[in-house]
Amino acid sequence: LNHFGQSREAMAEFERAKQICPTDSFARAAIANFNFNISTQRRSDPASQESCLRSAMQTYFGILEIDEQNCAASLGVANVLNEYGKIMESNEIYKLLANSEPDSLIGHHSVVNQGHIAMWHSNFDLAVNLYKSALELQPDNLKVSLFLSKA
């Protein structure tokens, strides 16, 4: 199977899990993440990208209606907002997640995304500090090392 075929199979499995247990936030977040990731691959087709982003956001909000403390869904909302260009709003969510989940993968992603936003705003000193913080959590993360070298 190619990567796309495997992704389609995984999506089908998550859809089946959602049918069996509609409140399963893991399966729902996986579906939303799948839609978000597809949206980033469809930037050249605004209508298709918008459809994927809207679906992802609706799913993330659905999860948060059931569990308002769900950090994975909150991270997803921040990522979608960021994709829409709502940088300040997404950065606020990233900050909250980084502070509430500092040693988790979600906290790590939040710090890295804050670094990206700092770079986008040409705040290189802040970006360096954020990427260094992310490397403290995952010292062997080559992507973050690359981001740090660019800052």
Side-chain angles (χ1 to χ4, degrees), residues 53-70:
L53 285 173
R54 193 175 334 107
S55 177
M57 188 66 106
Q58 288 172 344
T59 303
Y60 291 134
F61 279 139
I63 294 167
L64 291 169
E65 285 176 7
I66 296 168
D67 176 10
E68 65 186 37
Q69 301 296 317
N70 189 301

Side-chain angles (χ1 to χ4, degrees), residues 35 38-39 42-43 45-54:
N35 283 319
I38 292 296
S39 80
R42 295 188 176 169
R43 290 182 179 127
D45 180 359
S48 180
Q49 181 188 26
E50 172 62 24
S51 175
C52 290
L53 285 173
R54 193 175 334 107

Side-chain angles (χ1 to χ4, degrees), residues 2 6 11 17 19 23 40 51 55 61 67 74 84 94 102 105-106 119-120 142 145 148:
N2 63 28
Q6 291 171 339
M11 184 68 161
Q19 296 300 322
T23 59
T40 63
S51 175
S55 177
F61 279 139
D67 176 10
S74 297
Y84 277 127
Y94 292 141
L105 189 58
I106 288 172
M119 286 288 288
W120 188 74
L142 295 178
S145 295
L148 178 59

